[in-house]
Amino acid sequence: GELSSGKLTTTSVSSVTIPSLHREKSEVFITLQSVENEPDTSMAKREPSKLELDISQCKDLLSSSMHLEDNHHMEDICAQIVEHIHLFDEAFIPAYLTEDEAGVLVEQIMEVKKDLRARDEELKLLASTINQWKEELQGLSMWMKEVEVFLHAEDAAFGDLETLEAQLKESNALQEDILTLQPNVENINETGQSLLGRCDQEGQFRVELGQQLDHVNDDWEMTVTTANKQNEKLKKAFDKSREVVQLVKEINQFLDQLEGELAGSGVAPVTAAPELSQRTYKLLQLRDKADRKSEALQRLSTIEVEGGAGEMEAQITAVQDRWSEVTGPVHTTYSRMKEATTDYGEFKTLVAQEGDWLDRLEKKLRRSSKCAADAEEISEELDDLENCLNNHPEDRVDRLRQLAEGLGEKEILISPVMTEADKLTKRWEELERQARSRIKSLEE
């Protein structure tokens, strides 16, 4: 357009010929301003226009370091950027500028607006990132507070399998949650370090942000450590409780069975020799069973019962007492039957020996009574009878009587035992009397 004295002519950017630029009409609107006197178009000598000052102000804003700050500060920066963008809603380019100068100015306007919008997007992304980071931080902190209630709950009583199993199930689920959340925690730390790098290294906001990150990391480490310890403790308590319950059940079932097998063994008196050996063998089997099962009782006794397990301790004590009541008689009765078997065997041997000796003495006496012997034969017979009497074991009959009494005390009431000793004693007394009488007769 042309300038005339005292008149203002306006034109859009499309009326200015700038062959090297291709801009949309909606991007920049330019008004050419008139001047009162012939201007000096040298940009080095004239005063900068408002548009140039605005561009300079925007460049100063863009050249300043951008640090991450609190939301209020970030909102202020965003507002400043928006205000600077609006400075170019209507751009007034002085008409005294040459075509090349106007083109340079338009290029600067476009570049500054692009940089301002990029800065605005960067700030919005940064604000969105820190807001999301704080939400994740808050969510993790809330989860840890909820978990803390479970981690510090009162322990279930030792032996309470139902409650322990439920707590262990919940603890195992917590372990899975920790594994699931671990990548989130790592992401929080990675993002947190990135955000700290965007802060003013000497600023208070960086200190606050670092403290928040350190605090959540400390809480996370404490939560994981406590959860692991609790899980191990619950597993140990549950496994030990289950073992105690199983051992108590196993031992009681064995004692029930043993009581049934003991019925009739070692209670009623033994009245027959085969019954003595059968009962002894049966008691030996029961004793061996009890000895093998005693390993379970020893294992039960070595299990350390945790505090607050009064009921479980009572069950253990009860099964230990019952064990003594049931298995004690097995050992004592077996020992009695074994001793009785040995005594009965000795008794039968002595009876046979004594009977054989008495038979020989009786035979000597019968033969002696039929002989019409001379002096030499009488002397021989006399020596034979005296030797026979002298060689009779003095304690054998007493031992037979002692064994018979002992077997009776052990309730071994086998009929020969009760009569054999008396019969042999009487027979010995009678044969000894006859022998003494015969000796006396021969001596006369």
Side-chain angles (χ1 to χ4, degrees), residues 147-148 150-152 171 174-175 178 218-233:
V147 167
E148 186 178 3
F150 170 69
L151 292 177
H152 294 87
S171 178
L174 176 57
Q175 294 292 307
I178 288 173
D218 290 343
D219 287 350
W220 173 257
E221 185 177 349
M222 178 61 70
T223 298
V224 172
T225 301
T226 306
N228 289 338
K229 288 181 179 179
Q230 185 202 53
N231 190 255
E232 291 176 4
K233 183 178 181 181

Side-chain angles (χ1 to χ4, degrees), residues 13-135:
V13 69
S14 60
S15 63
V16 179
T17 303
I18 309 176
S20 62
L21 299 177
H22 302 279
R23 306 294 183 191
E24 294 293 335
K25 292 182 179 181
S26 59
E27 287 288 335
V28 182
F29 294 94
I30 302 172
T31 300
L32 298 180
Q33 295 179 325
S34 63
V35 294
E36 296 180 357
N37 300 314
E38 186 68 21
D40 182 356
T41 58
S42 176
M43 296 180 68
K45 297 180 180 180
R46 63 177 174 80
E47 291 293 329
S49 64
K50 180 180 182 305
L51 181 59
E52 291 171 318
L53 292 174
D54 289 342
I55 292 173
S56 178
Q57 182 180 352
C58 291
K59 287 182 178 181
D60 290 341
L61 177 64
L62 291 169
S63 65
S64 61
S65 299
M66 186 183 71
H67 296 300
L68 180 62
E69 296 286 352
D70 58 63
N71 286 340
H72 179 71
H73 186 77
M74 297 293 285
E75 288 172 359
D76 287 346
I77 296 176
C78 287
Q80 290 179 29
I81 290 175
V82 171
E83 290 176 3
H84 281 68
I85 291 174
H86 287 321
L87 290 175
F88 303 106
D89 286 346
E90 293 184 359
F92 297 96
I93 297 179
Y96 54 76
L97 296 179
T98 66
E99 187 174 300
D100 289 341
E101 291 172 339
V104 171
L105 207 55
V106 170
E107 183 68 26
Q108 290 179 350
I109 293 172
M110 301 306 299
E111 190 69 27
V112 167
K113 288 183 71 174
K114 183 183 73 172
D115 291 344
L116 287 171
R117 290 194 182 99
R119 178 64 63 88
D120 185 51
E121 290 299 321
E122 184 182 4
L123 286 170
K124 288 179 180 178
L125 178 61
L126 198 56
S128 174
T129 300
I130 192 171
N131 287 336
Q132 182 179 353
W133 182 79
K134 286 185 175 181
E135 288 178 3

